[in-house]
Amino acid sequence: MAYQDKPYPSQETPLQKIITAENVGLFVKTARLERGLTQKDLAGDTLSERTIRRIENGKVLPNLFTFFYILYRLDLPVERFLYFINNLFL
């Protein structure tokens, strides 16, 4: 009998349902406001205010480069984002 892969039954929520545009936007907006920054401040010379606004409003999910740039501008480690997401689902 040949071995066949079977789906692993898991109680865990897939990342696609956790890391959504809305959750990332909430994180970015919360962190920005905690630091007293405007959307223009956060955008810097690399992004536009419109891009920040669309991310914060949950309209788009930023790519990794944009996300890490935002973390850099906010002076936050990626662990802070993971902590935030984890607390949303506790």
Side-chain angles (χ1 to χ4, degrees):
M1 179 181 274
Y3 173 78
Q4 293 180 346
D5 286 330
K6 294 182 181 179
Y8 181 77
S10 174
Q11 299 297 329
E12 296 178 16
T13 305
L15 283 177
Q16 295 92 333
K17 292 184 180 182
I18 296 172
I19 301 178
T20 64
E22 292 82 10
N23 291 341
V24 171
L26 178 62
F27 169 77
V28 170
K29 186 172 187 175
T30 301
R32 177 181 62 79
L33 292 174
E34 284 175 354
R35 282 157 180 69
L37 299 174
T38 65
Q39 290 178 338
K40 184 176 183 174
D41 294 333
L42 181 56
D45 295 333
T46 303
L47 303 175
S48 68
E49 287 179 70
R50 180 176 185 258
T51 298
I52 299 299
R53 186 171 43 258
R54 293 183 76 216
I55 291 169
E56 288 186 354
N57 290 331
K59 302 293 182 192
V60 296
L61 184 63
N63 63 34
L64 279 178
F65 171 80
T66 302
F67 183 68
F68 281 110
Y69 176 77
I70 289 170
L71 288 176
Y72 167 76
R73 297 286 297 169
L74 292 168
D75 193 28
L76 290 175
V78 71
E79 290 84 5
R80 174 75 188 272
F81 171 71
L82 298 174
Y83 178 81
F84 177 86
I85 290 295
N86 187 50
N87 284 332
L88 283 178
F89 290 91
L90 283 179

Coordinates of all heavy atoms in Angstrom, one line a residue:
M1 N 0.8 -1.2 0.0 CA 0.0 0.0 0.0 C 0.9 1.2 0.0 O 1.8 1.3 0.8 CB -0.9 0.0 1.2 CG -1.8 1.2 1.3 SD -2.8 1.3 2.8 CE -4.2 0.3 2.2
A2 N 0.6 2.2 -0.9 CA 1.4 3.4 -1.0 C 1.0 4.4 0.0 O -0.2 4.5 0.4 CB 1.2 4.0 -2.4
Y3 N 2.0 5.1 0.5 CA 1.7 6.2 1.5 C 1.0 7.4 0.8 O 1.4 7.8 -0.3 CB 3.0 6.6 2.1 CG 2.9 7.8 3.1 CD1 2.3 7.6 4.3 CD2 3.2 9.1 2.6 CE1 2.2 8.7 5.2 CE2 3.0 10.2 3.5 CZ 2.5 10.0 4.7 OH 2.4 11.0 5.6
Q4 N 0.0 7.9 1.4 CA -0.7 9.1 0.9 C -0.7 10.1 2.0 O -1.0 9.9 3.1 CB -2.1 8.7 0.5 CG -2.2 7.8 -0.7 CD -3.6 7.5 -1.1 OE1 -4.5 7.8 -0.3 NE2 -3.8 6.9 -2.3
D5 N -0.5 11.4 1.5 CA -0.6 12.5 2.4 C -2.1 12.7 2.7 O -2.9 12.7 1.8 CB 0.0 13.8 1.8 CG 1.5 13.7 1.8 OD1 2.1 13.1 2.7 OD2 2.1 14.4 1.0
K6 N -2.3 12.9 4.0 CA -3.7 13.3 4.4 C -3.6 14.7 5.1 O -2.7 15.0 5.7 CB -4.2 12.2 5.4 CG -4.4 10.9 4.7 CD -5.0 9.9 5.7 CE -5.1 8.6 5.1 NZ -5.7 7.6 6.0
P7 N -4.7 15.4 4.9 CA -4.7 16.7 5.6 C -4.6 16.5 7.1 O -5.2 15.6 7.6 CB -6.1 17.3 5.2 CG -6.6 16.5 4.1 CD -5.9 15.2 4.1
Y8 N -3.8 17.3 7.7 CA -3.6 17.3 9.1 C -4.7 18.1 9.8 O -4.9 19.2 9.6 CB -2.3 17.9 9.5 CG -2.0 17.8 11.0 CD1 -1.6 16.7 11.6 CD2 -2.1 19.0 11.8 CE1 -1.4 16.6 13.0 CE2 -1.9 18.9 13.1 CZ -1.5 17.8 13.7 OH -1.3 17.7 15.1
P9 N -5.5 17.4 10.6 CA -6.6 18.1 11.3 C -6.0 19.0 12.4 O -5.3 18.6 13.3 CB -7.5 17.0 11.9 CG -6.6 15.8 12.0 CD -5.5 16.0 10.9
S10 N -6.3 20.3 12.2 CA -5.7 21.3 13.1 C -6.8 22.2 13.7 O -7.7 22.5 13.0 CB -4.7 22.1 12.4 OG -4.2 23.1 13.3
Q11 N -6.6 22.5 14.9 CA -7.6 23.5 15.5 C -7.1 24.9 15.4 O -7.8 25.8 15.8 CB -7.7 23.2 17.0 CG -8.2 21.8 17.3 CD -9.7 21.6 16.8 OE1 -10.4 22.5 16.7 NE2 -10.0 20.4 16.4
E12 N -5.9 25.1 14.8 CA -5.3 26.4 14.7 C -5.9 27.1 13.5 O -6.3 26.6 12.5 CB -3.8 26.3 14.5 CG -3.1 25.7 15.7 CD -1.6 25.6 15.5 OE1 -1.1 26.2 14.6 OE2 -1.0 24.9 16.3
T13 N -6.0 28.5 13.6 CA -6.6 29.3 12.6 C -5.5 29.6 11.6 O -4.4 30.0 11.9 CB -7.1 30.6 13.2 OG1 -8.0 30.3 14.2 CG2 -7.7 31.5 12.1
P14 N -5.8 29.4 10.3 CA -4.7 29.7 9.3 C -4.3 31.2 9.3 O -5.2 32.1 9.6 CB -5.4 29.4 7.9 CG -6.7 28.7 8.3 CD -7.0 29.0 9.7
L15 N -3.1 31.5 8.9 CA -2.6 32.8 8.9 C -3.4 33.8 8.0 O -3.5 34.9 8.3 CB -1.1 32.9 8.5 CG -0.1 32.4 9.6 CD1 1.3 32.4 9.0 CD2 -0.2 33.3 10.8
Q16 N -3.9 33.2 7.0 CA -4.7 34.1 6.0 C -5.9 34.7 6.7 O -6.4 35.7 6.3 CB -5.2 33.3 4.8 CG -4.0 32.8 3.9 CD -3.6 31.4 4.3 OE1 -3.7 31.0 5.5 NE2 -3.0 30.7 3.4
K17 N -6.4 34.0 7.7 CA -7.6 34.6 8.4 C -7.2 35.5 9.6 O -8.0 36.2 10.1 CB -8.4 33.4 9.0 CG -9.1 32.6 7.9 CD -10.0 31.5 8.5 CE -10.7 30.7 7.4 NZ -11.6 29.7 8.0
I18 N -5.9 35.5 9.9 CA -5.4 36.3 11.0 C -4.7 37.6 10.5 O -5.0 38.7 10.9 CB -4.4 35.6 11.9 CG1 -5.1 34.4 12.6 CG2 -3.8 36.5 12.9 CD1 -4.2 33.4 13.3
I19 N -3.8 37.4 9.5 CA -3.1 38.6 9.0 C -3.9 39.1 7.8 O -3.6 38.8 6.7 CB -1.7 38.2 8.6 CG1 -0.9 37.7 9.9 CG2 -0.9 39.4 8.1 CD1 0.5 37.2 9.7
T20 N -4.9 39.9 8.1 CA -5.7 40.5 7.1 C -5.4 42.0 7.0 O -4.7 42.6 7.8 CB -7.2 40.4 7.5 OG1 -7.4 41.2 8.7 CG2 -7.6 38.9 7.8
A21 N -5.9 42.6 5.9 CA -5.7 44.0 5.7 C -6.2 44.8 6.8 O -5.6 45.8 7.3 CB -6.3 44.4 4.3
E22 N -7.4 44.4 7.3 CA -8.0 45.1 8.4 C -7.1 45.1 9.7 O -7.0 46.1 10.4 CB -9.4 44.6 8.7 CG -10.4 44.8 7.6 CD -10.3 43.8 6.5 OE1 -9.6 42.8 6.6 OE2 -10.9 44.1 5.5
N23 N -6.6 43.9 10.0 CA -5.8 43.8 11.2 C -4.5 44.5 11.1 O -4.0 45.1 12.1 CB -5.5 42.3 11.6 CG -6.8 41.6 12.0 OD1 -7.8 42.2 12.4 ND2 -6.8 40.3 11.9
V24 N -3.8 44.4 10.0 CA -2.6 45.1 9.7 C -2.9 46.6 9.8 O -2.1 47.4 10.4 CB -1.9 44.8 8.4 CG1 -0.7 45.7 8.1 CG2 -1.5 43.3 8.5
G25 N -3.9 47.1 9.2 CA -4.3 48.5 9.2 C -4.5 49.0 10.6 O -4.1 50.1 11.0
L26 N -5.2 48.2 11.4 CA -5.5 48.6 12.8 C -4.2 48.7 13.6 O -4.0 49.7 14.4 CB -6.4 47.6 13.5 CG -6.7 47.8 15.0 CD1 -7.5 49.1 15.2 CD2 -7.6 46.6 15.5
F27 N -3.3 47.8 13.4 CA -2.0 47.8 14.0 C -1.2 49.1 13.7 O -0.7 49.8 14.5 CB -1.2 46.6 13.7 CG 0.3 46.7 14.1 CD1 0.6 46.5 15.4 CD2 1.3 46.9 13.2 CE1 2.0 46.6 15.8 CE2 2.6 47.0 13.6 CZ 2.9 46.9 14.9
V28 N -1.1 49.3 12.4 CA -0.4 50.5 11.9 C -0.9 51.8 12.4 O -0.2 52.7 12.9 CB -0.3 50.5 10.3 CG1 0.3 51.8 9.8 CG2 0.5 49.3 9.8
K29 N -2.2 51.9 12.3 CA -2.9 53.2 12.8 C -2.7 53.3 14.3 O -2.3 54.4 14.8 CB -4.4 53.2 12.5 CG -5.0 54.5 12.8 CD -6.5 54.5 12.3 CE -7.1 55.9 12.5 NZ -8.4 56.0 11.9
T30 N -2.9 52.3 15.1 CA -2.7 52.3 16.5 C -1.3 52.7 16.9 O -1.0 53.6 17.7 CB -3.0 51.0 17.2 OG1 -4.4 50.7 16.8 CG2 -2.9 51.0 18.7
A31 N -0.3 52.1 16.3 CA 1.1 52.4 16.6 C 1.5 53.8 16.1 O 2.2 54.5 16.8 CB 2.0 51.3 15.9
R32 N 1.0 54.2 15.0 CA 1.3 55.6 14.5 C 0.7 56.6 15.5 O 1.4 57.6 15.9 CB 0.7 55.8 13.1 CG 0.9 57.2 12.6 CD 0.2 57.4 11.3 NE -1.2 57.3 11.2 CZ -2.1 58.2 11.6 NH1 -1.7 59.3 12.1 NH2 -3.4 58.0 11.5
L33 N -0.5 56.4 15.9 CA -1.1 57.4 16.9 C -0.4 57.4 18.2 O -0.3 58.4 18.9 CB -2.6 57.1 17.0 CG -3.4 57.4 15.7 CD1 -4.9 56.9 15.9 CD2 -3.4 58.9 15.3
E34 N 0.0 56.2 18.7 CA 0.7 56.1 20.0 C 2.0 56.9 19.9 O 2.4 57.4 20.9 CB 1.1 54.7 20.3 CG -0.1 53.8 20.8 CD 0.3 52.4 21.0 OE1 1.4 52.0 20.6 OE2 -0.6 51.6 21.5
R35 N 2.6 57.1 18.7 CA 3.8 57.8 18.6 C 3.6 59.3 18.2 O 4.6 60.0 18.0 CB 4.7 57.1 17.5 CG 5.4 55.9 18.1 CD 5.8 54.9 17.1 NE 6.4 53.8 17.8 CZ 5.8 52.9 18.6 NH1 4.5 53.0 18.8 NH2 6.4 51.9 19.2
G36 N 2.4 59.7 18.0 CA 2.1 61.0 17.7 C 2.5 61.4 16.3 O 2.8 62.6 16.0
L37 N 2.5 60.5 15.4 CA 2.9 60.8 14.0 C 1.7 61.0 13.1 O 0.6 60.4 13.3 CB 3.7 59.6 13.4 CG 5.0 59.2 14.1 CD1 5.5 57.9 13.5 CD2 6.0 60.3 14.0
T38 N 1.9 61.8 12.1 CA 0.9 62.0 11.1 C 1.1 60.9 10.0 O 2.1 60.2 10.0 CB 0.9 63.3 10.4 OG1 2.2 63.4 9.7 CG2 0.8 64.5 11.4
Q39 N 0.1 60.7 9.1 CA 0.3 59.8 8.0 C 1.4 60.2 7.1 O 2.2 59.4 6.6 CB -1.0 59.6 7.2 CG -2.1 58.9 8.0 CD -3.4 58.8 7.2 OE1 -3.6 59.6 6.3 NE2 -4.2 57.9 7.6
K40 N 1.6 61.5 7.0 CA 2.7 62.1 6.2 C 4.1 61.7 6.8 O 5.0 61.3 6.2 CB 2.6 63.6 6.0 CG 3.6 64.2 5.1 CD 3.4 65.7 4.9 CE 4.4 66.2 4.0 NZ 4.2 67.6 3.6
D41 N 4.1 61.9 8.2 CA 5.4 61.5 8.9 C 5.7 60.0 8.7 O 6.9 59.7 8.4 CB 5.2 61.7 10.4 CG 5.1 63.2 10.8 OD1 5.5 64.1 10.1 OD2 4.4 63.4 11.9
L42 N 4.7 59.2 8.8 CA 4.9 57.7 8.6 C 5.3 57.4 7.2 O 6.2 56.6 7.0 CB 3.7 57.0 9.0 CG 3.8 55.4 9.0 CD1 4.9 54.9 9.8 CD2 2.5 54.8 9.4
A43 N 4.8 58.0 6.2 CA 5.1 57.7 4.8 C 6.5 58.1 4.5 O 7.1 57.4 3.7 CB 4.1 58.5 3.9
G44 N 7.0 59.1 5.1 CA 8.4 59.5 4.8 C 8.6 59.8 3.3 O 7.7 60.3 2.7
D45 N 9.8 59.6 2.8 CA 10.1 59.8 1.4 C 9.8 58.6 0.5 O 10.0 58.8 -0.7 CB 11.6 60.2 1.3 CG 11.9 61.6 2.0 OD1 11.0 62.4 2.1 OD2 13.1 61.7 2.4
T46 N 9.5 57.5 1.1 CA 9.4 56.3 0.3 C 7.9 56.0 -0.1 O 7.7 55.5 -1.2 CB 10.0 55.1 1.1 OG1 11.3 55.4 1.4 CG2 9.9 53.8 0.3
L47 N 7.0 56.2 0.8 CA 5.6 55.9 0.6 C 4.8 57.2 0.5 O 5.2 58.3 0.8 CB 5.0 55.1 1.7 CG 5.7 53.8 2.1 CD1 5.1 53.1 3.3 CD2 5.6 52.8 0.9
S48 N 3.6 57.1 0.0 CA 2.7 58.2 -0.1 C 1.7 58.2 1.1 O 1.5 57.2 1.7 CB 1.9 58.2 -1.4 OG 1.0 57.2 -1.4
E49 N 1.1 59.4 1.4 CA 0.1 59.4 2.4 C -1.1 58.6 2.0 O -1.7 57.9 2.9 CB -0.4 60.9 2.6 CG 0.6 61.8 3.4 CD 0.1 63.2 3.5 OE1 -0.9 63.4 4.3 OE2 0.6 64.1 2.8
R50 N -1.4 58.6 0.7 CA -2.5 57.8 0.2 C -2.3 56.3 0.5 O -3.2 55.6 1.0 CB -2.7 58.0 -1.3 CG -3.8 57.2 -1.8 CD -4.0 57.5 -3.3 NE -5.2 56.8 -3.8 CZ -5.1 55.7 -4.6 NH1 -4.0 55.2 -4.9 NH2 -6.2 55.2 -5.0
T51 N -1.1 55.8 0.4 CA -0.7 54.4 0.7 C -1.0 54.1 2.1 O -1.6 53.1 2.5 CB 0.7 54.1 0.3 OG1 0.9 54.3 -1.1 CG2 1.1 52.7 0.7
I52 N -0.5 55.0 3.0 CA -0.7 54.8 4.5 C -2.1 54.8 4.8 O -2.6 54.0 5.6 CB 0.1 55.9 5.3 CG1 1.6 55.8 5.0 CG2 -0.2 55.8 6.8 CD1 2.3 54.5 5.4
R53 N -2.9 55.8 4.2 CA -4.3 55.9 4.5 C -5.0 54.6 4.0 O -5.9 54.0 4.8 CB -4.9 57.1 3.7 CG -6.3 57.4 4.0 CD -6.8 58.7 3.5 NE -6.4 59.0 2.1 CZ -5.4 59.9 1.8 NH1 -4.8 60.5 2.7 NH2 -5.1 60.1 0.5
R54 N -4.7 54.0 2.9 CA -5.3 52.8 2.4 C -5.0 51.6 3.3 O -5.8 50.8 3.5 CB -4.9 52.6 0.9 CG -5.5 53.6 0.0 CD -5.2 53.4 -1.4 NE -6.1 52.3 -1.9 CZ -5.8 51.3 -2.7 NH1 -4.6 51.3 -3.3 NH2 -6.6 50.4 -3.1
I55 N -3.7 51.6 3.8 CA -3.3 50.5 4.7 C -4.1 50.6 6.0 O -4.7 49.6 6.5 CB -1.8 50.5 4.9 CG1 -1.1 50.1 3.6 CG2 -1.4 49.6 6.1 CD1 0.4 50.3 3.7
E56 N -4.1 51.8 6.6 CA -4.8 52.0 7.8 C -6.3 51.7 7.8 O -6.9 51.3 8.7 CB -4.5 53.4 8.4 CG -3.1 53.6 8.9 CD -2.9 55.0 9.5 OE1 -3.8 55.8 9.5 OE2 -1.8 55.1 10.0
N57 N -6.9 52.0 6.6 CA -8.3 51.8 6.5 C -8.7 50.3 6.1 O -9.8 50.0 5.8 CB -8.9 52.7 5.4 CG -9.0 54.2 5.9 OD1 -9.1 54.4 7.1 ND2 -8.9 55.1 5.0
G58 N -7.6 49.5 6.0 CA -7.8 48.1 5.7 C -8.2 47.8 4.2 O -8.8 46.8 3.9
K59 N -7.9 48.7 3.4 CA -8.2 48.6 1.9 C -7.2 47.7 1.2 O -7.5 47.1 0.2 CB -8.3 49.9 1.2 CG -9.3 50.9 1.8 CD -10.7 50.4 1.6 CE -11.7 51.4 2.2 NZ -13.0 50.8 2.3
V60 N -5.9 47.8 1.7 CA -4.8 47.0 1.1 C -4.0 46.4 2.1 O -3.8 46.9 3.2 CB -4.0 47.8 0.1 CG1 -4.7 48.4 -1.1 CG2 -3.3 49.0 0.9
L61 N -3.4 45.2 1.8 CA -2.5 44.5 2.7 C -1.1 44.8 2.1 O -0.8 44.5 0.9 CB -2.7 43.0 2.6 CG -1.9 42.2 3.6 CD1 -2.1 42.5 5.0 CD2 -2.2 40.7 3.3
P62 N -0.2 45.5 2.8 CA 1.1 45.9 2.3 C 1.9 44.7 2.0 O 1.8 43.7 2.7 CB 1.7 46.8 3.4 CG 1.0 46.3 4.7 CD -0.4 45.9 4.3
N63 N 2.8 44.8 1.0 CA 3.8 43.8 0.7 C 4.8 43.8 1.8 O 4.8 44.7 2.7 CB 4.4 43.9 -0.7 CG 5.2 45.2 -0.9 OD1 5.8 45.7 0.1 ND2 5.1 45.8 -2.0
L64 N 5.7 42.8 1.8 CA 6.7 42.7 2.9 C 7.6 43.9 3.0 O 7.9 44.4 4.1 CB 7.5 41.5 2.8 CG 6.8 40.2 3.4 CD1 7.7 39.0 3.1 CD2 6.5 40.3 4.8
F65 N 8.1 44.4 1.8 CA 8.9 45.6 1.8 C 8.3 46.8 2.5 O 8.8 47.4 3.4 CB 9.4 46.0 0.4 CG 10.1 47.3 0.4 CD1 11.4 47.4 0.7 CD2 9.4 48.5 0.1 CE1 12.1 48.6 0.7 CE2 10.1 49.7 0.1 CZ 11.4 49.8 0.4
T66 N 7.0 47.1 2.1 CA 6.3 48.2 2.7 C 6.0 48.0 4.2 O 6.2 48.9 5.0 CB 4.9 48.3 1.9 OG1 5.2 48.6 0.5 CG2 4.1 49.5 2.5
F67 N 5.6 46.7 4.6 CA 5.4 46.5 6.0 C 6.6 46.7 6.8 O 6.6 47.3 7.9 CB 4.8 45.0 6.1 CG 4.5 44.7 7.5 CD1 3.4 45.3 8.2 CD2 5.2 43.8 8.3 CE1 3.1 45.0 9.5 CE2 4.9 43.5 9.6 CZ 3.8 44.1 10.2
F68 N 7.8 46.2 6.4 CA 9.0 46.3 7.1 C 9.5 47.8 7.1 O 10.0 48.3 8.1 CB 10.1 45.4 6.7 CG 9.9 44.0 7.2 CD1 9.5 43.0 6.3 CD2 10.1 43.7 8.5 CE1 9.4 41.7 6.8 CE2 9.9 42.4 9.0 CZ 9.5 41.4 8.2
Y69 N 9.2 48.5 6.1 CA 9.5 49.9 6.1 C 8.7 50.7 7.1 O 9.2 51.5 7.8 CB 9.3 50.5 4.7 CG 9.5 52.0 4.6 CD1 10.8 52.6 4.6 CD2 8.4 52.9 4.6 CE1 11.0 53.9 4.5 CE2 8.6 54.3 4.6 CZ 9.9 54.8 4.5 OH 10.1 56.1 4.5
I70 N 7.4 50.3 7.2 CA 6.5 50.9 8.2 C 7.0 50.6 9.6 O 7.0 51.5 10.5 CB 5.0 50.5 8.0 CG1 4.5 51.2 6.7 CG2 4.2 50.8 9.2 CD1 3.1 50.6 6.2
L71 N 7.3 49.4 9.8 CA 7.9 49.0 11.1 C 9.1 49.8 11.5 O 9.3 50.3 12.6 CB 8.2 47.5 11.2 CG 7.0 46.5 11.3 CD1 7.5 45.1 11.2 CD2 6.2 46.8 12.5
Y72 N 10.0 50.0 10.5 CA 11.2 50.8 10.6 C 10.8 52.2 11.0 O 11.4 52.8 11.9 CB 12.0 50.7 9.4 CG 13.1 51.8 9.3 CD1 14.3 51.6 10.0 CD2 13.0 52.9 8.5 CE1 15.3 52.5 10.0 CE2 14.0 53.9 8.5 CZ 15.2 53.7 9.2 OH 16.2 54.6 9.2
R73 N 9.9 52.8 10.3 CA 9.5 54.2 10.5 C 8.8 54.3 11.9 O 9.0 55.4 12.6 CB 8.5 54.7 9.5 CG 9.0 54.8 8.1 CD 10.0 55.9 7.8 NE 9.3 57.2 8.0 CZ 9.9 58.3 8.1 NH1 11.2 58.4 8.0 NH2 9.2 59.4 8.3
L74 N 8.2 53.3 12.4 CA 7.6 53.3 13.7 C 8.6 52.9 14.8 O 8.2 52.9 16.0 CB 6.4 52.3 13.7 CG 5.2 52.7 12.9 CD1 4.2 51.6 12.8 CD2 4.5 54.0 13.5
D75 N 9.7 52.5 14.4 CA 10.8 52.0 15.3 C 10.3 50.8 16.2 O 10.4 50.8 17.4 CB 11.3 53.2 16.2 CG 12.5 52.8 17.0 OD1 13.3 52.0 16.5 OD2 12.8 53.4 18.1
L76 N 9.7 49.9 15.5 CA 9.1 48.7 16.1 C 9.7 47.4 15.6 O 9.9 47.3 14.4 CB 7.6 48.6 15.9 CG 6.7 49.7 16.6 CD1 5.3 49.5 16.2 CD2 6.8 49.5 18.1
P77 N 9.9 46.4 16.4 CA 10.3 45.1 16.0 C 9.1 44.3 15.5 O 8.0 44.6 15.9 CB 11.0 44.5 17.2 CG 10.2 45.1 18.3 CD 9.9 46.5 17.9
V78 N 9.3 43.4 14.6 CA 8.2 42.6 14.1 C 7.5 41.8 15.2 O 6.3 41.6 15.1 CB 8.7 41.6 13.0 CG1 9.5 40.5 13.5 CG2 7.5 41.1 12.2
E79 N 8.2 41.6 16.3 CA 7.6 40.9 17.4 C 6.5 41.7 18.0 O 5.5 41.1 18.5 CB 8.7 40.6 18.5 CG 9.7 39.5 18.2 CD 10.8 40.1 17.3 OE1 10.9 41.3 17.1 OE2 11.7 39.3 16.9
R80 N 6.5 43.0 17.9 CA 5.4 43.8 18.4 C 4.2 43.6 17.6 O 3.1 43.5 18.2 CB 5.8 45.3 18.4 CG 4.7 46.3 18.8 CD 4.5 46.3 20.3 NE 3.3 47.1 20.6 CZ 3.3 48.4 20.8 NH1 4.4 49.1 20.8 NH2 2.2 49.0 21.0
F81 N 4.3 43.5 16.3 CA 3.2 43.1 15.5 C 2.6 41.8 15.8 O 1.4 41.6 16.0 CB 3.6 43.2 14.0 CG 2.5 42.7 13.1 CD1 1.3 43.4 12.9 CD2 2.6 41.5 12.4 CE1 0.3 42.9 12.1 CE2 1.6 41.0 11.6 CZ 0.5 41.7 11.4
L82 N 3.5 40.8 16.0 CA 3.0 39.4 16.3 C 2.3 39.4 17.7 O 1.3 38.7 17.9 CB 4.2 38.5 16.3 CG 4.9 38.3 15.0 CD1 6.1 37.4 15.1 CD2 3.9 37.7 14.0
Y83 N 2.8 40.2 18.6 CA 2.2 40.3 20.0 C 0.8 40.9 19.8 O -0.2 40.4 20.4 CB 3.0 41.2 20.9 CG 2.4 41.4 22.2 CD1 2.5 40.4 23.2 CD2 1.8 42.6 22.5 CE1 2.0 40.6 24.5 CE2 1.3 42.8 23.8 CZ 1.4 41.8 24.8 OH 0.8 42.1 26.0
F84 N 0.7 42.0 19.0 CA -0.6 42.6 18.7 C -1.6 41.7 18.1 O -2.8 41.6 18.6 CB -0.4 43.8 17.8 CG -1.6 44.6 17.4 CD1 -2.1 45.6 18.2 CD2 -2.3 44.3 16.2 CE1 -3.3 46.3 17.8 CE2 -3.4 45.0 15.8 CZ -3.9 46.0 16.6
I85 N -1.2 40.9 17.1 CA -2.1 40.0 16.4 C -2.5 38.9 17.4 O -3.7 38.5 17.4 CB -1.4 39.4 15.2 CG1 -1.3 40.5 14.1 CG2 -2.1 38.2 14.6 CD1 -2.6 41.0 13.5
N86 N -1.6 38.4 18.2 CA -1.9 37.3 19.1 C -2.9 37.8 20.1 O -3.8 37.0 20.4 CB -0.6 36.9 19.9 CG -0.8 35.7 20.7 OD1 -1.4 34.7 20.3 ND2 -0.4 35.8 22.0
N87 N -2.8 39.0 20.6 CA -3.8 39.5 21.5 C -5.2 39.7 20.9 O -6.2 39.7 21.7 CB -3.3 40.8 22.2 CG -2.2 40.5 23.2 OD1 -2.2 39.5 23.8 ND2 -1.3 41.4 23.4
L88 N -5.3 39.9 19.6 CA -6.6 40.1 19.0 C -7.4 38.8 19.0 O -8.6 38.8 19.0 CB -6.4 40.5 17.5 CG -6.1 41.9 17.2 CD1 -5.9 42.1 15.7 CD2 -7.1 42.9 17.7
F89 N -6.6 37.6 19.1 CA -7.3 36.3 19.0 C -7.3 35.5 20.3 O -7.5 34.3 20.3 CB -6.7 35.6 17.8 CG -7.1 36.2 16.5 CD1 -6.3 37.1 15.9 CD2 -8.2 35.8 15.9 CE1 -6.6 37.7 14.7 CE2 -8.6 36.4 14.7 CZ -7.8 37.3 14.1
L90 N -6.9 36.2 21.4 CA -7.0 35.4 22.7 C -8.3 35.3 23.2 O -9.2 36.1 23.0 CB -6.1 36.1 23.7 CG -4.6 35.9 23.5 CD1 -3.8 36.7 24.6 CD2 -4.2 34.4 23.6

